[in-house]
């Protein structure tokens, strides 16, 4: 459990993974989706997820720089866990 929580636990990692579930997302769009997270916090969590092999960062335009993030297969493997957590929290009105 501790290893899993290090990978997807914390305040923003699970939310980031969940928002990347359907398609690659640009950094600014992801920051807006997360609402209460600062851009610095989003950047830090994305770097951690990238280092852990859960997210791929792609530069799609050099001038002005545009970056997208998408889940790796390993990152996708966490979606079932996160979905179960979402259902559990909703069914218990947390």
């Amino acid at each position: 459990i501790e290893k899993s929580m290090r990978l997807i636990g914390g305040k923003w990692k699970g939310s980031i993974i969940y928002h990347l579930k359907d398609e690659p997302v640009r950094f600014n769009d992801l920051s807006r989706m997360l609402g209460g997270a600062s851009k610095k916090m989003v950047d830090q969590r994305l770097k951690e997820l990238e280092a852990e092999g859960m997210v791929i960062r792609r530069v799609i335009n050099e001038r002005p720089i545009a970056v997208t993030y998408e889940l790796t297969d390993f990152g996708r493997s966490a979606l079932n866990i996160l979905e179960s957590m979402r259902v559990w929290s909703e069914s218990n009105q947390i």
Side-chain angles (χ1 to χ4, degrees):
I1 290 175
E2 288 82 11
K3 288 179 184 178
S4 300
M5 292 305 293
R6 275 194 295 273
L7 288 173
I8 63 171
K11 188 169 181 178
W12 299 110
K13 282 185 175 181
S15 295
I16 289 170
I17 292 168
Y18 195 78
H19 285 298
L20 295 176
K21 69 183 180 357
D22 295 323
E23 61 188 356
V25 178
R26 292 175 73 150
F27 178 83
N28 285 331
D29 293 335
L30 184 58
S31 294
R32 276 191 290 277
M33 290 175 187
L34 293 170
S38 69
K39 288 188 176 190
K40 180 180 178 184
M41 181 64 65
V42 174
D43 183 57
Q44 288 174 344
R45 295 303 158 258
L46 283 166
K47 285 179 180 175
E48 291 171 7
L49 288 167
E50 185 180 12
E52 293 158 350
M54 299 191 83
V55 168
I56 296 171
R57 177 184 188 268
R58 294 191 197 280
V59 176
I60 58 171
N61 198 4
E62 295 291 331
R63 295 257 176 193
I65 191 163
V67 177
T68 62
Y69 292 88
E70 63 185 284
L71 293 177
T72 63
D73 289 339
F74 179 49
R76 289 197 172 287
S77 69
L79 289 172
N80 289 335
I81 297 164
L82 294 171
E83 180 63 17
S84 294
M85 291 172 69
R86 185 190 64 77
V87 169
W88 175 76
S89 66
E90 286 179 0
S91 66
N92 290 287
Q93 300 176 0
I94 296 175

